[in-house]
Amino acid sequence: MSSSISSMEQKRHFSINLLEWYEKHKRDLPWRRHRNPYYIWVSEIMLQQTRVDTVIPFFNRFIERFPTVEDLADAPEQDVLKCWEGLGYYSRARNLQAAAKQVKELHGGMVPDDKASVFALKGVGPYTAGAILSIAFNKPEPAVDGNVMRVLSRYFLIEEDIMKGSTRAFMESLVVELIPDGRASDFNQALMELGALVCTPKSPHCLTCPVMEHCSARQEGKEEQLPIKTKAKPPRPEYRVVALVEGRGDHSGRVLIRQRPQEGLLARMWELPHLQTPAARSGRLPDEPAMDILAGALLEEGIAARPIAHLTDAEHTFSHIHWNLQVYRCREEDLPQAAELKAMYAAGDSGEPSVQTEYRWIDERDMQHYAFPNVFLKILQNYFKHSSY
């Protein structure tokens, strides 16, 4: 492993000055106001791939709704997903609740403070385990995330790909060396804070950095070239046609939603009926063939509805897929109760399993009872807001 780590003095300078800076400049974040392991655990799960400013209101709402591990463990899953709605990466919420049940059953509702037990919790990997153990329990465990790897790469001039397991392992051992006795909680938070506020991915604020004097990358003029990171593959595009089915008669003023399969992407959440189109690789379909395909798919699912007009386009990016959605207004046809029956969720090119799917007719007030992926939430909110469509 190549680096310019040259002396104990460089390490000592880093630890001392970083902690002094943190004590003066740390942000007032709700999960920092208490050394509550449950709060810290929830915050770390929410902060995965999500900005702090985005997380704060979600965290406050979540803790208000589920103030203890037992409250989370005992809650209906749909309540948990609804409280998580808009934050994305919903498997995090499911894993968090599953782990809360583990804590309740195996540890009496108390978040464990030993490494093996924390690692055994569903959805908890090396970083999250290190964060819980160090921040909540002040144990000298490394918590190495993207911010930390960026800081270490620059300060110690580590010119290795941070996507490699060997690089992460090296940095974890380095952090253990750097943690001052009895200061693991503050040190790991300080390291993350420096990466978030000062040693940023682009245009790092070197002149205000508390460890600038001994930063090897700055001395070599390489601060903006590090860290070295293999680029991830871009998400593959998928093109889908979506039905916003307006009800008639007893369903007037309501729209049709369905529940996703029990497993897989966005499991058990609610959505508008949709399917992947043959244009998955070639782009957007013209409206007429798109509506024909949609009409046939709705009929196959037992839904008597006719597409009448293009409503809007939308898109959403997952870690590995980018959805391009063409949304069409559809009108319920005269086939009594067709859409209230359970219908087959047809497997298509998306690889989604064929299972019995629940359908519901909802109005705007009913939305509070169902958890939707953000893209469908926005479509529905906009539709009800402009219900004169």
Side-chain angles (χ1 to χ4, degrees):
M1 182 71 59
S2 65
S3 81
S4 64
I5 300 176
S6 56
S7 68
M8 291 300 296
E9 176 62 22
Q10 187 186 26
K11 296 177 183 178
R12 191 181 70 85
H13 174 274
F14 183 85
S15 300
I16 292 172
N17 286 276
L18 179 62
L19 282 169
E20 288 180 355
W21 171 84
Y22 179 68
E23 288 169 0
K24 295 178 182 177
H25 299 283
K26 64 181 177 183
R27 289 172 289 183
D28 178 22
L29 302 175
W31 47 89
R32 285 181 177 164
R33 296 170 191 165
H34 315 272
R35 194 66 70 84
N36 185 318
Y38 171 60
Y39 291 3
I40 291 165
W41 175 22
V42 170
S43 72
E44 289 298 336
I45 297 297
M46 287 187 168
L47 286 164
Q48 293 171 8
Q49 304 182 69
T50 310
R51 293 171 57 86
V52 168
D53 291 345
T54 301
V55 165
I56 290 173
F58 283 95
F59 174 85
N60 289 333
R61 184 176 68 183
F62 196 89
I63 293 300
E64 182 179 359
R65 176 64 181 82
F66 312 111
T68 68
V69 172
E70 290 93 339
D71 291 321
L72 177 57
D74 295 340
E77 184 189 71
Q78 283 296 311
D79 288 0
V80 177
L81 293 175
K82 187 65 181 176
C83 203
W84 200 275
E85 186 180 68
L87 196 55
Y89 301 98
Y90 293 94
S91 61
R92 295 182 297 175
R94 294 190 192 88
N95 289 340
L96 181 60
Q97 185 179 32
K101 292 177 180 179
Q102 289 177 266
V103 171
K104 178 184 175 183
E105 293 168 6
L106 301 176
H107 306 286
M110 303 293 292
V111 178
D113 64 354
D114 66 283
K115 195 169 184 178
S117 296
V118 173
F119 260 105
L121 298 177
K122 190 169 180 62
V124 172
Y127 166 75
T128 304
I132 293 170
L133 291 167
S134 63
I135 298 172
F137 300 108
N138 204 30
K139 292 181 177 280
E141 294 289 341
V144 176
D145 66 355
N147 281 330
V148 171
M149 288 192 283
R150 183 168 59 255
V151 171
L152 297 179
S153 290
R154 289 171 176 170
Y155 185 80
F156 293 109
L157 198 65
I158 300 171
E159 298 179 287
E160 301 289 341
D161 185 354
I162 62 172
M163 299 301 288
K164 291 181 178 179
S166 58
T167 306
R168 174 181 286 274
F170 174 71
M171 290 186 175
E172 287 174 344
S173 65
L174 178 56
V175 169
V176 173
E177 287 185 54
L178 294 169
I179 296 174
D181 289 344
R183 300 297 304 276
S185 180
D186 285 340
F187 180 82
N188 277 350
Q189 291 182 88
L191 196 47
M192 299 170 198
E193 196 85 330
L194 187 70
L197 301 181
V198 178
C199 196
T200 50
K202 297 179 181 178
S203 303
H205 310 293
C206 293
L207 294 180
T208 61
C209 179
V211 296
M212 173 187 70
E213 184 180 349
H214 292 280
C215 177
S216 297
R218 186 191 67 83
Q219 293 170 358
E220 297 286 335
K222 294 182 176 181
E223 64 272 17
E224 295 199 29
Q225 298 172 28
L226 294 174
I228 293 170
K229 181 180 180 180
T230 302
K231 289 187 178 180
K233 292 181 180 179
R236 74 174 185 271
E238 286 188 358
Y239 294 83
R240 292 174 175 259
V241 288
V242 181
L244 195 149
V245 182
E246 300 172 323
R248 298 172 59 195
D250 292 344
H251 303 146
S252 182
R254 297 174 178 266
V255 298
L256 186 67
I257 62 171
R258 73 178 179 193
Q259 192 172 33
R260 288 186 63 81
Q262 292 296 307
E263 304 292 338
L265 183 68
L266 304 173
R268 300 182 293 282
M269 299 191 75
W270 293 83
E271 65 182 2
L272 295 173
H274 62 98
L275 77 153
Q276 189 170 326
T277 73
R281 290 187 175 83
S282 57
R284 189 184 193 281
L285 281 177
D287 287 340
E288 189 172 340
M291 289 195 289
D292 287 344
I293 290 171
L294 190 56
L298 291 171
L299 191 59
E300 285 181 10
E301 291 195 38
I303 300 170
R306 178 170 55 88
I308 55 176
H310 174 258
L311 181 64
T312 188
D313 287 338
E315 56 185 297
H316 186 76
T317 301
F318 302 96
S319 58
H320 60 299
I321 303 171
H322 181 83
W323 276 2
N324 297 273
L325 306 179
Q326 297 170 230
V327 186
Y328 293 90
R329 251 180 97 204
C330 303
R331 186 162 295 153
E332 183 186 12
E333 299 273 69
D334 245 346
L335 184 59
Q337 297 181 320
E340 291 185 311
L341 302 176
K342 288 184 178 180
M344 295 303 292
Y345 189 114
D349 293 339
S350 61
E352 291 160 344
S354 195
V355 298
Q356 290 295 107
T357 300
E358 292 286 345
Y359 287 82
R360 296 282 190 277
W361 287 102
I362 66 163
D363 60 20
E364 186 173 13
R365 291 169 299 179
D366 296 324
M367 288 180 62
Q368 65 182 306
H369 303 300
Y370 299 90
F372 296 92
N374 209 34
V375 63
F376 293 111
L377 179 67
K378 289 179 179 177
I379 292 169
L380 285 165
Q381 287 175 336
N382 196 50
Y383 171 79
F384 284 122
K385 183 178 179 181
H386 303 92
S387 55
S388 59
Y389 277 133

